[in-house]
Amino acid sequence: MKYSTNFFFALVASLIPSISAHGFLASIAIDGKVYQGNIPNQGNSPSPIRVIDDITPVKGAMNRDVNCGKNALIAAVVAPANPGSELSFDWHSGENTIWPHNIGPMMTYMAVCGNTTCDKFDAINAEWFKIDEAGQFANNLSVWHQQDLFEGKSVNVTIPQDIAPGDYLVRHEIIALHLGNEPGGAEFYPSCSQIRIASNNGTVVQPNATVSLPGAYSDTDPGIFVPTIFNPVQNYQFPGPAVSNVVIGVNGTSPNATNSTPAGPMVSSTPQASCTGHRP
């Protein structure tokens, strides 16, 4: 019996039960100031990153843990930020080395911490709005922006300029799709960090649409179940809502162009990078 190359690599990927193939958010930098997270089950040092108790991915779009990660705990620190601050996310594998996946989107959400501070806020009540989404490089659909993490780099996202002051959760999410050619195969890696945005002296835009998580995704969404994932995906559809009007702004400016028009890297020659979507 003959099997396609894509089937072979997908089968190999599914048979590798290494902790290096999973991971967590190791640190977040806000305007260059780095805040370290905690390795799951290995400490609870003060941090704005809500610590999870398991590095394995969240499975199932309606799983409660798709919110902030597996059994995520409220963090002790609320880190200062400003409208327009640059956030830098550094993800590591379960062995605390560089991120093991490179196929699938990355998305960033924010939510107001209700009428309390974020170090007292239950994220299951969060009303999320999307501020960023990064998929494939426009000039090379074979390569996803997640490749940057796979190469040991961080990924950067900008807080909207026109955002109201207050306490917010920032939810950065990776959806690894190396098994996304089967329903329920997608791997969700969400992480939530607590920030406090200083007063905004300019225009403030209120989000026009928010979503709940879980609730915003389905396992059959075209951006989560992708039968042709090992081919260049044409017109990829991001899961969840569109990027919020808070990012687009009152002047009708576009969301971050870095997600749609940058010059991408060459396709990696490493077989795991170009075919399986994770390191063995």
Side-chain angles (χ1 to χ4, degrees):
M1 183 180 296
K2 293 183 178 180
Y3 296 97
S4 70
T5 301
N6 290 341
F7 174 86
F8 171 76
F9 282 116
L11 179 62
V12 171
S14 68
L15 295 176
I16 301 173
S18 170
I19 63 168
S20 64
H22 307 310
F24 65 103
L25 181 64
S27 68
I28 182 174
I30 304 175
D31 291 331
K33 180 176 174 57
V34 177
Y35 297 88
Q36 295 294 332
N38 287 279
I39 298 175
N41 292 323
Q42 295 188 33
N44 195 21
S45 299
S47 172
I49 301 173
R50 295 192 168 188
V51 65
I52 57 175
D53 69 358
D54 195 330
I55 60 167
T56 58
V58 177
K59 299 289 285 189
M62 290 304 295
N63 190 324
R64 178 186 171 99
D65 287 334
V66 82
N67 188 282
C68 280
K70 287 198 168 183
N71 297 312
L73 297 177
I74 291 175
V77 175
V78 181
N82 293 292
S85 284
E86 183 177 86
L87 308 177
S88 183
F89 300 96
D90 183 23
W91 287 80
H92 284 188
S93 75
E95 295 178 338
N96 209 20
T97 58
I98 60 177
W99 182 248
H101 302 299
N102 69 343
I103 296 175
M106 299 180 293
M107 296 177 289
T108 310
Y109 293 81
M110 294 182 68
V112 179
C113 290
N115 295 319
T116 186
T117 55
C118 279
D119 56 353
K120 297 179 177 64
F121 180 68
D122 186 348
I124 203 63
N125 299 318
E127 299 178 358
W128 301 100
F129 56 96
K130 186 185 287 184
I131 65 165
D132 191 81
E133 53 189 19
Q136 302 147 285
F137 284 96
N139 63 348
N140 189 346
L141 296 181
S142 296
V143 182
W144 298 74
H145 283 267
Q146 195 182 150
Q147 176 75 20
D148 287 344
L149 295 175
F150 191 84
E151 295 175 355
K153 305 171 186 175
S154 299
V155 295
N156 298 326
V157 174
T158 302
I159 293 175
Q161 273 297 349
D162 295 332
I163 198 166
D167 275 27
Y168 289 82
L169 287 180
V170 176
R171 178 182 178 275
H172 193 247
E173 174 183 43
I174 299 169
I175 303 181
L177 291 179
H178 55 281
L179 300 177
N181 55 348
E182 296 290 341
E187 297 183 351
F188 299 91
Y189 293 93
S191 180
C192 293
S193 300
Q194 303 170 174
I195 66 170
R196 178 167 297 140
I197 295 180
S199 178
N200 190 332
N201 295 321
T203 302
V204 171
V205 178
Q206 297 299 326
N208 62 351
T210 58
V211 296
S212 297
L213 288 162
Y217 302 160
S218 164
D219 285 327
T220 57
D221 285 349
I224 292 174
F225 169 43
V226 189
T228 59
I229 191 62
F230 292 109
N231 298 318
V233 180
Q234 304 291 329
N235 301 313
Y236 177 76
Q237 298 182 47
F238 289 92
V243 172
S244 172
N245 62 315
V246 176
V247 178
I248 296 173
V250 292
N251 296 320
T253 54
S254 299
N256 290 341
T258 55
N259 296 328
S260 56
T261 58
M266 296 298 292
V267 178
S268 171
S269 59
T270 306
Q272 293 89 345
S274 59
C275 298
T276 69
H278 69 78
R279 301 180 190 278

mmCIF file of all heavy atoms in Angstrom, residues 204-227:
data_model
loop_
_atom_site.group_PDB
_atom_site.id
_atom_site.type_symbol
_atom_site.label_atom_id
_atom_site.label_comp_id
_atom_site.label_asym_id
_atom_site.label_seq_id
_atom_site.Cartn_x
_atom_site.Cartn_y
_atom_site.Cartn_z
ATOM 1 N N VAL A 204 -9.937 57.572 23.172
ATOM 2 C CA VAL A 204 -10.190 56.231 23.687
ATOM 3 C C VAL A 204 -11.299 55.594 22.842
ATOM 4 O O VAL A 204 -12.350 56.192 22.620
ATOM 5 C CB VAL A 204 -10.605 56.261 25.168
ATOM 6 C CG1 VAL A 204 -11.073 54.886 25.621
ATOM 7 C CG2 VAL A 204 -9.438 56.739 26.024
ATOM 8 N N VAL A 205 -11.038 54.377 22.369
ATOM 9 C CA VAL A 205 -12.013 53.625 21.573
ATOM 10 C C VAL A 205 -12.479 52.426 22.389
ATOM 11 O O VAL A 205 -11.658 51.662 22.897
ATOM 12 C CB VAL A 205 -11.395 53.148 20.245
ATOM 13 C CG1 VAL A 205 -12.403 52.316 19.458
ATOM 14 C CG2 VAL A 205 -10.927 54.341 19.418
ATOM 15 N N GLN A 206 -13.784 52.263 22.521
ATOM 16 C CA GLN A 206 -14.328 51.096 23.224
ATOM 17 C C GLN A 206 -14.502 49.950 22.232
ATOM 18 O O GLN A 206 -14.975 50.150 21.110
ATOM 19 C CB GLN A 206 -15.676 51.445 23.860
ATOM 20 C CG GLN A 206 -15.595 52.517 24.920
ATOM 21 C CD GLN A 206 -14.719 52.116 26.099
ATOM 22 O OE1 GLN A 206 -14.654 50.946 26.477
ATOM 23 N NE2 GLN A 206 -14.024 53.091 26.680
ATOM 24 N N PRO A 207 -14.109 48.723 22.614
ATOM 25 C CA PRO A 207 -14.282 47.580 21.700
ATOM 26 C C PRO A 207 -15.745 47.419 21.297
ATOM 27 O O PRO A 207 -16.640 47.495 22.136
ATOM 28 C CB PRO A 207 -13.803 46.393 22.533
ATOM 29 C CG PRO A 207 -12.948 46.977 23.609
ATOM 30 C CD PRO A 207 -13.520 48.323 23.908
ATOM 31 N N ASN A 208 -15.985 47.201 20.006
ATOM 32 C CA ASN A 208 -17.361 47.078 19.531
ATOM 33 C C ASN A 208 -17.863 45.644 19.568
ATOM 34 O O ASN A 208 -19.037 45.389 19.356
ATOM 35 C CB ASN A 208 -17.508 47.636 18.111
ATOM 36 C CG ASN A 208 -16.664 46.871 17.091
ATOM 37 O OD1 ASN A 208 -15.840 46.027 17.467
ATOM 38 N ND2 ASN A 208 -16.846 47.174 15.815
ATOM 39 N N ALA A 209 -16.979 44.680 19.810
ATOM 40 C CA ALA A 209 -17.395 43.275 19.866
ATOM 41 C C ALA A 209 -16.404 42.511 20.727
ATOM 42 O O ALA A 209 -15.192 42.675 20.592
ATOM 43 C CB ALA A 209 -17.454 42.674 18.466
ATOM 44 N N THR A 210 -16.927 41.689 21.630
ATOM 45 C CA THR A 210 -16.076 40.849 22.470
ATOM 46 C C THR A 210 -16.596 39.414 22.405
ATOM 47 O O THR A 210 -17.745 39.163 22.026
ATOM 48 C CB THR A 210 -16.066 41.326 23.927
ATOM 49 O OG1 THR A 210 -17.397 41.334 24.436
ATOM 50 C CG2 THR A 210 -15.461 42.723 24.042
ATOM 51 N N VAL A 211 -15.728 38.474 22.793
ATOM 52 C CA VAL A 211 -16.100 37.065 22.767
ATOM 53 C C VAL A 211 -15.719 36.412 24.088
ATOM 54 O O VAL A 211 -14.883 36.929 24.843
ATOM 55 C CB VAL A 211 -15.407 36.311 21.603
ATOM 56 C CG1 VAL A 211 -15.864 36.860 20.260
ATOM 57 C CG2 VAL A 211 -13.895 36.359 21.736
ATOM 58 N N SER A 212 -16.334 35.270 24.357
ATOM 59 C CA SER A 212 -15.970 34.449 25.495
ATOM 60 C C SER A 212 -15.071 33.307 25.038
ATOM 61 O O SER A 212 -15.184 32.823 23.910
ATOM 62 C CB SER A 212 -17.231 33.872 26.156
ATOM 63 O OG SER A 212 -18.051 34.890 26.666
ATOM 64 N N LEU A 213 -14.188 32.887 25.926
ATOM 65 C CA LEU A 213 -13.322 31.742 25.658
ATOM 66 C C LEU A 213 -13.337 30.834 26.886
ATOM 67 O O LEU A 213 -12.940 31.289 27.965
ATOM 68 C CB LEU A 213 -11.896 32.197 25.340
ATOM 69 C CG LEU A 213 -11.719 32.857 23.971
ATOM 70 C CD1 LEU A 213 -10.428 33.657 23.922
ATOM 71 C CD2 LEU A 213 -11.708 31.789 22.888
ATOM 72 N N PRO A 214 -13.821 29.579 26.733
ATOM 73 C CA PRO A 214 -14.285 28.972 25.478
ATOM 74 C C PRO A 214 -15.599 29.581 24.998
ATOM 75 O O PRO A 214 -16.292 30.248 25.755
ATOM 76 C CB PRO A 214 -14.464 27.505 25.855
ATOM 77 C CG PRO A 214 -14.730 27.532 27.331
ATOM 78 C CD PRO A 214 -13.913 28.657 27.880
ATOM 79 N N GLY A 215 -15.890 29.316 23.734
ATOM 80 C CA GLY A 215 -17.105 29.817 23.118
ATOM 81 C C GLY A 215 -16.876 30.444 21.760
ATOM 82 O O GLY A 215 -17.751 30.402 20.893
ATOM 83 N N ALA A 216 -15.692 31.033 21.567
ATOM 84 C CA ALA A 216 -15.421 31.724 20.310
ATOM 85 C C ALA A 216 -14.960 30.783 19.198
ATOM 86 O O ALA A 216 -14.967 31.158 18.026
ATOM 87 C CB ALA A 216 -14.369 32.813 20.524
ATOM 88 N N TYR A 217 -14.541 29.562 19.569
ATOM 89 C CA TYR A 217 -13.994 28.618 18.594
ATOM 90 C C TYR A 217 -14.832 27.348 18.543
ATOM 91 O O TYR A 217 -15.504 26.983 19.498
ATOM 92 C CB TYR A 217 -12.566 28.185 18.974
ATOM 93 C CG TYR A 217 -11.531 29.255 19.109
ATOM 94 C CD1 TYR A 217 -10.371 29.008 19.843
ATOM 95 C CD2 TYR A 217 -11.667 30.504 18.510
ATOM 96 C CE1 TYR A 217 -9.377 29.957 19.979
ATOM 97 C CE2 TYR A 217 -10.689 31.466 18.651
ATOM 98 C CZ TYR A 217 -9.539 31.194 19.388
ATOM 99 O OH TYR A 217 -8.558 32.147 19.528
ATOM 100 N N SER A 218 -14.696 26.666 17.421
ATOM 101 C CA SER A 218 -15.233 25.321 17.246
ATOM 102 C C SER A 218 -14.143 24.445 16.656
ATOM 103 O O SER A 218 -13.291 24.927 15.897
ATOM 104 C CB SER A 218 -16.448 25.348 16.310
ATOM 105 O OG SER A 218 -16.761 24.052 15.844
ATOM 106 N N ASP A 219 -14.156 23.157 16.982
ATOM 107 C CA ASP A 219 -13.150 22.246 16.433
ATOM 108 C C ASP A 219 -13.271 22.080 14.926
ATOM 109 O O ASP A 219 -12.351 21.576 14.285
ATOM 110 C CB ASP A 219 -13.260 20.870 17.101
ATOM 111 C CG ASP A 219 -12.692 20.864 18.506
ATOM 112 O OD1 ASP A 219 -11.718 21.602 18.757
ATOM 113 O OD2 ASP A 219 -13.221 20.129 19.361
ATOM 114 N N THR A 220 -14.395 22.505 14.352
ATOM 115 C CA THR A 220 -14.571 22.401 12.903
ATOM 116 C C THR A 220 -14.376 23.730 12.192
ATOM 117 O O THR A 220 -14.587 23.807 10.978
ATOM 118 C CB THR A 220 -15.971 21.846 12.579
ATOM 119 O OG1 THR A 220 -16.973 22.697 13.167
ATOM 120 C CG2 THR A 220 -16.138 20.432 13.123
ATOM 121 N N ASP A 221 -13.987 24.768 12.913
ATOM 122 C CA ASP A 221 -13.683 26.042 12.247
ATOM 123 C C ASP A 221 -12.617 25.821 11.179
ATOM 124 O O ASP A 221 -11.655 25.062 11.397
ATOM 125 C CB ASP A 221 -13.164 27.069 13.255
ATOM 126 C CG ASP A 221 -14.271 27.633 14.131
ATOM 127 O OD1 ASP A 221 -15.463 27.393 13.835
ATOM 128 O OD2 ASP A 221 -13.949 28.315 15.128
ATOM 129 N N PRO A 222 -12.726 26.498 10.037
ATOM 130 C CA PRO A 222 -11.754 26.262 8.958
ATOM 131 C C PRO A 222 -10.322 26.636 9.314
ATOM 132 O O PRO A 222 -9.389 26.154 8.673
ATOM 133 C CB PRO A 222 -12.292 27.121 7.811
ATOM 134 C CG PRO A 222 -13.211 28.113 8.451
ATOM 135 C CD PRO A 222 -13.788 27.430 9.639
ATOM 136 N N GLY A 223 -10.121 27.470 10.335
ATOM 137 C CA GLY A 223 -8.759 27.797 10.748
ATOM 138 C C GLY A 223 -8.214 26.877 11.822
ATOM 139 O O GLY A 223 -7.062 27.028 12.242
ATOM 140 N N ILE A 224 -9.039 25.914 12.276
ATOM 141 C CA ILE A 224 -8.634 24.971 13.322
ATOM 142 C C ILE A 224 -8.559 23.548 12.777
ATOM 143 O O ILE A 224 -7.624 22.809 13.074
ATOM 144 C CB ILE A 224 -9.613 25.053 14.512
ATOM 145 C CG1 ILE A 224 -9.449 26.421 15.201
ATOM 146 C CG2 ILE A 224 -9.379 23.923 15.504
ATOM 147 C CD1 ILE A 224 -10.452 26.684 16.305
ATOM 148 N N PHE A 225 -9.531 23.154 11.981
ATOM 149 C CA PHE A 225 -9.495 21.890 11.251
ATOM 150 C C PHE A 225 -9.115 22.213 9.809
ATOM 151 O O PHE A 225 -9.890 22.800 9.063
ATOM 152 C CB PHE A 225 -10.853 21.193 11.325
ATOM 153 C CG PHE A 225 -11.006 20.027 10.395
ATOM 154 C CD1 PHE A 225 -9.984 19.099 10.227
ATOM 155 C CD2 PHE A 225 -12.187 19.853 9.682
ATOM 156 C CE1 PHE A 225 -10.127 18.024 9.358
ATOM 157 C CE2 PHE A 225 -12.348 18.776 8.828
ATOM 158 C CZ PHE A 225 -11.314 17.864 8.662
ATOM 159 N N VAL A 226 -7.880 21.872 9.439
ATOM 160 C CA VAL A 226 -7.337 22.248 8.126
ATOM 161 C C VAL A 226 -6.811 20.983 7.445
ATOM 162 O O VAL A 226 -5.648 20.597 7.614
ATOM 163 C CB VAL A 226 -6.216 23.290 8.254
ATOM 164 C CG1 VAL A 226 -5.830 23.835 6.875
ATOM 165 C CG2 VAL A 226 -6.622 24.437 9.175
ATOM 166 N N PRO A 227 -7.643 20.292 6.653
ATOM 167 C CA PRO A 227 -7.222 19.028 6.034
ATOM 168 C C PRO A 227 -5.987 19.155 5.154
ATOM 169 O O PRO A 227 -5.229 18.196 4.993
ATOM 170 C CB PRO A 227 -8.451 18.602 5.221
ATOM 171 C CG PRO A 227 -9.607 19.295 5.881
ATOM 172 C CD PRO A 227 -9.052 20.600 6.361
#
